[in-house]
Amino acid sequence: MKFFTIVLLCALAALAWARQQAEATEEDVPTVFPSPNFNAVEDARSLRDAVHGPGTNEQVIIQVLTNRSNGQRQQIKTAYWELYGSDLVEDLDDDIQDKDFRFVVDSLMMPFNEFEETFTDEEKVKYSVYEDALHEAMAGPGTDETLLSRIIVWRCEIDLGTVKNRYYYKYGDTLANDVSSETSGNYRDVLLALIK
């Protein structure tokens, strides 16, 4: 009995230390960074190929959009317009059938300041503890896809890495595992790519 008590105390001490280290070393850690080899024209062409012709290549859309910063995504929109005389977001919307996946893609393509303005002051206060809001979005029957998507897109270039750590320590499972079990298809894939 003493042995198990000692093991339990050691485990709790190790967990407390790990949480303290994570909070001390990972303040404001994003999960999406600017691509160092960014080329807006190449990305615009890749996205055009993904949405034109037979079918839609959702994996290309996910790969490009989740590996570019918001500023880079805005440059891709401009390059797309200059190359094809067409609005990238409209072309993506026309081809993407899944409404939740489309919502995330539309959110990613919105300039950051405009996207942040979609949150009311009340929502910003209510959801300021992001790990709790994410857990709330997935708790119980059904998933609040809008809330889940908005917070992941909003925080991925700011501090989602930090939020992931806090989520794990508070709820005992990784954010990626919970998102994976609560979502499906391309919608799940794009969220997991943003969470990394």
Side-chain angles (χ1 to χ4, degrees), residues 120-193:
T120 64
D121 289 339
E122 181 180 295
E123 286 176 317
K124 287 178 183 176
V125 170
K126 181 178 180 182
Y127 302 130
S128 64
V129 181
Y130 306 114
E131 62 272 18
D132 292 344
L134 290 165
H135 187 262
E136 177 183 316
M138 295 182 285
T143 299
D144 185 341
E145 288 87 359
T146 302
L147 177 60
L148 185 64
S149 303
R150 289 176 77 200
I151 291 177
I152 290 172
V153 169
W154 183 28
R155 305 314 299 180
C156 69
E157 289 186 56
I158 301 170
D159 61 359
L160 191 57
T162 306
V163 172
K164 288 186 331 183
N165 288 335
R166 291 182 182 153
Y167 187 96
Y168 175 77
Y169 291 115
K170 193 164 196 175
Y171 297 107
D173 203 353
T174 66
L175 178 59
N177 283 346
D178 285 353
V179 166
S180 185
S181 69
E182 293 291 326
T183 60
S184 62
N186 294 311
Y187 174 62
R188 176 183 54 218
D189 294 345
V190 72
L191 291 180
L192 292 176

Side-chain angles (χ1 to χ4, degrees), residues 26-38 43 63-73 108 155-162 164 193-196:
E26 296 199 26
E27 284 303 311
D28 296 338
V29 176
T31 57
V32 173
F33 302 90
S35 174
N37 301 318
F38 174 66
D43 287 346
Q63 178 64 31
V64 171
L65 298 185
T66 62
N67 287 291
R68 305 299 181 268
S69 68
N70 188 275
Q72 290 174 331
R73 290 190 297 269
L108 285 168
R155 305 314 299 180
C156 69
E157 289 186 56
I158 301 170
D159 61 359
L160 191 57
T162 306
K164 288 186 331 183
L194 290 169
I195 293 168
K196 294 182 190 107

Side-chain angles (χ1 to χ4, degrees), residues 64-101:
V64 171
L65 298 185
T66 62
N67 287 291
R68 305 299 181 268
S69 68
N70 188 275
Q72 290 174 331
R73 290 190 297 269
Q74 302 317 306
Q75 291 177 48
I76 295 167
K77 279 194 328 192
T78 301
Y80 192 92
W81 177 261
E82 291 170 355
L83 286 168
Y84 305 110
S86 183
D87 184 270
L88 173 59
V89 176
E90 289 177 10
D91 286 354
L92 290 167
D93 283 353
D94 288 345
D95 250 44
I96 297 171
Q97 302 302 312
D98 180 277
K99 69 177 179 59
D100 296 324
F101 179 50

